[in-house]
Amino acid sequence: MTSVPTRVAATLSFRNIGAVYVWLAIVVLFSVWAPDTFPTVITVKQVLNGNAVAGLVALSVVPPLAARVFDLSVAYTMSLTSVLTAHFLVSTGLGPFGAITLAMAAALLVGVVNALVVVVLRVDSFIATLATGALIQSLITMVTNDSSITGVQLLAKPFANLAQLDAGGITLPVLYLLLAALAIWFVLEHTASGRRLYATGFNADAARLQGVRTDRLRALTLVASALLSGFAGVVFASSVGSGSPTAGTPYLLSAYAAAFVGATQLRAGRFNAWGTVLAVLLLGTGITGLGLATSAQWAASLFTGSVLIVALVLTGGRIALPTVLRRRTATPPGPEHPTRRADDESRSVPAGGTRT
């Protein structure tokens, strides 16, 4: 049994919470670089409020990634619900509840279509969701003619309060982010479905041999991803007071950057909710600091892309393979058993791959 100091040292190690130390270093850097504008309470509120929607989109990709499924349609789904909510409010006379309900129904439909294509038709998730995104973009163009939808209905209560109501300068989207992270954390870490989801992500074939309904889990993650990214689109429309046909485009790269950085934190090697939130705040702090310290438009994209590359390097060999290899060396040899054979088969699959 490990001692308390050992457990504390492991918890506070760079390997476990390295992003926290990087985050603190970024804070110090920009506090020195822009001492008049960065180290203020206003900046703290700006980081929290300005990255809540980005955090929702980032969390939307965590369940699919935990099951080794990519959903590249989240940005398009966000744009879709943004413009549909605005369209129903401005052009049809529906109230906020009806408009949001119809927009979320569209997001649900996107999730179901993704699940059918990926799980039933066995199309690679990367290609399938990218194709779905192209179809969604065509629908968005048909509805908006590539122009933002504006109207006084989007600026009026109660719809505006959905994102603009605040307490002490902290807006409601920050609360939505915390609730979404709490829900995903609970499902992944404290339910049997979460354990089965991780098992599916490590190796779907081995999990299937153990009786896990991998196809159902993968389908559900795609539906959940579409619903959460769709909700992010509704919140975005309420926040800016318009429905933008490109609302979700800037969030796709940062969402995956945050998810992969999050996979190196707290639960190293596993995509997790709180690590993703931490990564969102790290990225948001860096981008906000760059905005305050320099006017270069390319700086934010450079920062996000660099962080994503570093995260991929750090997670590439740790998400699946080293964990099972360590487990293998720690398991004493014994008589052949069907369960052990299935586990051995899972170890023969490279990280991120599936057996054919």
Side-chain angles (χ1 to χ4, degrees):
M1 184 175 181
T2 58
S3 63
V4 173
T6 301
R7 291 197 299 269
V8 171
T11 301
L12 299 179
S13 67
F14 188 87
R15 179 180 179 85
N16 190 50
I17 56 170
V20 173
Y21 300 118
V22 174
W23 188 14
L24 293 175
I26 290 174
V27 170
V28 172
L29 171 64
F30 287 112
S31 295
V32 174
W33 193 352
D36 296 329
T37 55
F38 184 81
T40 64
V41 175
I42 294 176
T43 301
V44 173
K45 294 177 180 178
Q46 181 180 349
V47 170
L48 291 175
N49 296 333
N51 290 280
V53 172
L56 289 173
V57 180
L59 286 175
S60 74
V61 305
V62 170
L65 285 175
R68 289 292 182 181
V69 177
F70 281 88
D71 186 358
L72 298 183
S73 67
V74 290
Y76 302 98
T77 305
M78 177 183 169
S79 299
L80 177 66
T81 55
S82 170
V83 299
L84 286 182
T85 302
H87 172 74
F88 289 132
L89 277 173
V90 174
S91 302
T92 66
L94 283 176
F97 179 79
I100 293 172
T101 300
L102 290 177
M104 292 303 297
L108 175 62
L109 179 61
V110 170
V112 171
V113 170
N114 281 338
L116 288 174
V117 175
V118 173
V119 177
V120 178
L121 300 182
R122 303 293 179 183
V123 179
D124 181 82
S125 62
F126 194 95
I127 302 300
T129 56
L130 190 62
T132 304
L135 295 176
I136 295 171
Q137 187 60 51
S138 66
L139 177 60
I140 292 172
T141 302
M142 182 176 68
V143 172
T144 66
N145 197 27
D146 284 335
S147 299
S148 295
I149 300 175
T150 59
V152 294
Q153 297 90 337
L154 296 168
L155 303 175
K157 300 177 181 179
F159 181 71
N161 285 343
L162 183 67
Q164 298 179 25
L165 194 66
D166 71 276
I170 304 299
T171 57
L172 278 180
V174 177
L175 176 61
Y176 305 149
L177 174 63
L178 294 177
L179 291 176
L182 182 64
I184 293 173
W185 165 78
F186 180 79
V187 170
L188 291 180
E189 302 293 340
H190 296 281
T191 67
S193 295
R195 292 190 291 272
R196 292 170 185 144
L197 190 63
Y198 278 132
T200 300
F202 280 127
N203 189 279
D205 291 337
R208 195 179 300 113
L209 289 173
Q210 300 300 318
V212 177
R213 297 181 177 180
T214 56
D215 286 346
R216 174 186 293 183
L217 287 173
R218 294 168 71 218
L220 288 175
T221 61
L222 287 167
V223 172
S225 175
L227 288 174
L228 188 51
S229 59
F231 179 68
V234 174
V235 173
F236 179 86
S238 174
S239 177
V240 302
S242 68
S244 171
T246 58
T249 304
Y251 292 99
L252 184 60
L253 177 61
S254 62
Y256 275 92
F260 275 92
V261 172
T264 68
Q265 305 300 304
L266 305 179
R267 301 283 289 170
R270 295 186 179 187
F271 294 100
N272 65 90
W274 296 118
T276 301
V277 172
L278 174 60
V280 167
L281 295 177
L282 185 155
L283 289 169
T285 301
I287 292 172
T288 301
L290 287 170
L292 294 173
T294 177
S295 59
Q297 296 182 351
W298 47 263
S301 297
L302 176 64
F303 177 76
T304 303
S306 300
V307 170
L308 179 56
I309 291 174
V310 173
L312 288 171
V313 171
L314 292 176
T315 60
R318 290 170 57 187
I319 289 179
L321 193 56
T323 301
V324 293
L325 287 177
R326 287 195 296 271
R327 188 182 306 144
R328 182 173 186 175
T329 57
T331 303
E336 188 72 2
H337 188 274
T339 302
R340 179 167 296 169
R341 285 200 303 270
D343 195 39
D344 288 341
E345 289 181 3
S346 73
R347 299 185 182 106
S348 66
V349 182
T354 56
R355 283 161 53 90
T356 57

